[in-house]
Amino acid sequence: MLPDDAKVSLDDDDASAQVLQVLARLDTDLIGLAAVKRRIREIAALLMVDRARARFGLSASKPSLHMSFAGSPGTGKTTVALRMAEILHALGYLRLPKVHAVTREDLVGQFIGHTAPKTKEAMAKAAGGVLFIDEAYYLHRPENERDYGQEAIEILLAEMESERGSLVVIFAGYPDRMGAFFASNPGLSSRVAHHIEFAEYSAGELAEIAELMVARDHYVFDAAARGAFTEYLDLRMAQPQFANARSVRNALERARLRQANRLVQAGGAVTRDDLMTLTEADIRGSRVFGRS
C-alpha cells in the first residue's frame, strides 16, 4: 500500500498503455460512433482510477461490467465488444481478451431439461471473457407459456451475479426491442450497468467506411466509381434490410466479383493498377441501380 502523500501516474504502467492502445484502435477501426467511444473511454477511465485507488488502500464496490449494446446490424457492436474485452483483460478484470458470441439457439433448448446444459455450456465457453448475446430479446417470448427462454434468463441472472469476477455478459440487439426486453425483466435490467446505444451511420460515414474497407484490401475507387458508390448508398439506404457497415462490406464484395469478371473477360495482361482499381461499371452493375 502506498503512503498517503505518494503520487501515482495513471498512464505509465503496462496495463494503462495497453488500454490507451486499444482506445486508439477503436478510433481507427470505427468511423463515427462518438457517443459510444466516449462511453467506452469513461468506463476505461473508471477502471484505471479504481486500480490507482487500490494502491492507496481506498476500497470501493466492484463495478458491474455487464452491458447492453442497442443498435441496428452493422453499427459496430461486435467490434466494440472485442475492444471492451481487450480493455478488461489488460486491467485484470478478465482472464482472457475473448468474446464468445451466441444467439437464442445456443442457449435455449426445445424440451424440458435441455436449456440448462445449453446455457451453462455457452457460459463455460465464454468463461474468463465476454459472453455476447446477439438479438437477446428473443430469449423472452411471453406469448408462449411453454417457452424455455425464461429458464435461460434465470440461469444467466444467477451466473452474472456469482461470476462477476470472471465473466462479462453483453446483451445486443435492435434499440426498441432491447428496451422492451429489459422492461420485462427488472432483475436483468438491474444487473446491467451500462446501456450503450449505437446510432445509425450517415451516408457520409458509410462512404468513409467504404474507403477504409477498400484500402485495407488493397483496392481503390477511381473517381467515377467513388461517385457511383455515393449514389449506391443513397439508394440502398432507402431499401429494406439495410445493415449499415455490413451492407457496405457486402456491396464491396460484389463489386470485387464484377471487377474480377471484367478483367478475366477482357483477357490479356493486366497491371497492378488494373488489379487494384474498382471502376464505375463495377459499382453500377449492382441491381440497386436497376430499381431506382
Side-chain angles (χ1 to χ4, degrees):
M1 185 184 303
L2 295 175
D4 292 350
D5 59 351
K7 290 187 177 182
V8 173
S9 176
L10 295 174
D11 57 7
D12 68 353
D13 66 334
D14 289 343
S16 297
Q18 289 180 47
V19 170
L20 294 176
Q21 288 176 7
V22 173
L23 292 173
R25 286 170 57 201
L26 195 63
D27 284 332
T28 302
D29 293 347
L30 290 177
I31 299 295
L33 298 179
V36 173
K37 293 174 181 177
R38 181 169 60 251
R39 186 65 177 274
I40 298 303
R41 286 184 176 277
E42 289 172 351
I43 294 171
L46 172 65
L47 300 181
M48 291 166 69
V49 167
D50 275 359
R51 280 166 52 88
R53 285 171 52 88
R55 296 184 65 183
F56 285 97
L58 299 171
S59 62
S61 58
K62 192 167 186 177
S64 173
L65 296 170
H66 302 306
M67 304 178 190
S68 167
F69 288 0
S72 298
T75 48
K77 298 187 296 297
T78 304
T79 298
V80 173
L82 289 167
R83 297 294 170 263
M84 198 70 242
E86 292 173 359
I87 289 171
L88 297 178
H89 171 66
L91 294 174
Y93 286 87
L94 291 176
R95 296 196 312 274
L96 301 168
K98 71 174 184 178
V99 174
H100 180 57
V102 298
T103 63
R104 172 189 164 91
E105 293 180 356
D106 300 299
L107 302 174
V108 181
Q110 298 179 349
F111 50 84
I112 294 174
H114 193 206
T115 294
K118 286 191 74 170
T119 302
K120 290 179 180 179
E121 179 184 3
M123 300 189 83
K125 289 180 178 178
V130 170
L131 179 66
F132 184 87
I133 306 176
D134 201 12
E135 297 184 313
Y137 34 75
Y138 285 130
L139 292 176
H140 180 66
R141 291 181 172 172
E143 72 281 359
N144 184 353
E145 295 181 357
R146 297 185 178 181
D147 183 69
Y148 300 114
Q150 186 59 39
E151 181 182 355
I153 292 173
E154 290 170 1
I155 294 170
L156 286 167
L157 284 170
E159 295 294 321
M160 287 166 65
E161 189 63 29
S162 65
E163 300 297 327
R164 285 175 63 178
S166 62
L167 179 70
V168 168
V169 179
I170 298 178
F171 299 91
Y174 285 102
D176 55 344
R177 297 184 185 181
M178 290 300 289
F181 173 61
F182 284 111
S184 66
N185 294 276
L188 187 58
S189 181
S190 67
R191 285 171 172 78
V192 177
H194 306 286
H195 292 259
I196 303 175
E197 289 212 13
F198 289 66
E200 301 281 346
Y201 286 114
S202 68
E205 289 171 335
L206 290 169
E208 289 185 60
I209 289 169
E211 294 283 359
L212 281 177
M213 291 179 176
V214 165
R216 286 171 185 168
D217 287 335
H218 302 287
Y219 285 86
V220 293
F221 288 126
D222 66 18
R226 185 171 289 106
F229 197 78
T230 298
E231 291 182 44
Y232 170 88
L233 287 173
D234 289 338
L235 294 169
R236 183 66 184 89
M237 289 175 72
Q239 294 179 350
Q241 298 181 323
F242 179 70
N244 290 279
R246 192 176 303 168
S247 289
V248 169
R249 183 172 60 249
N250 291 340
L252 294 175
E253 287 293 328
R254 290 189 289 271
R256 288 174 59 189
L257 287 173
R258 289 189 286 271
Q259 182 236 33
N261 188 53
R262 170 174 58 80
L263 294 175
V264 170
Q265 287 191 349
V270 293
T271 67
R272 184 174 186 271
D273 285 347
D274 292 332
L275 294 169
M276 292 180 63
T277 303
L278 297 174
T279 67
E280 181 177 14
D282 300 328
I283 304 301
R284 291 194 183 278
S286 169
R287 290 178 298 169
V288 168
F289 289 97
R291 297 171 183 163
S292 59

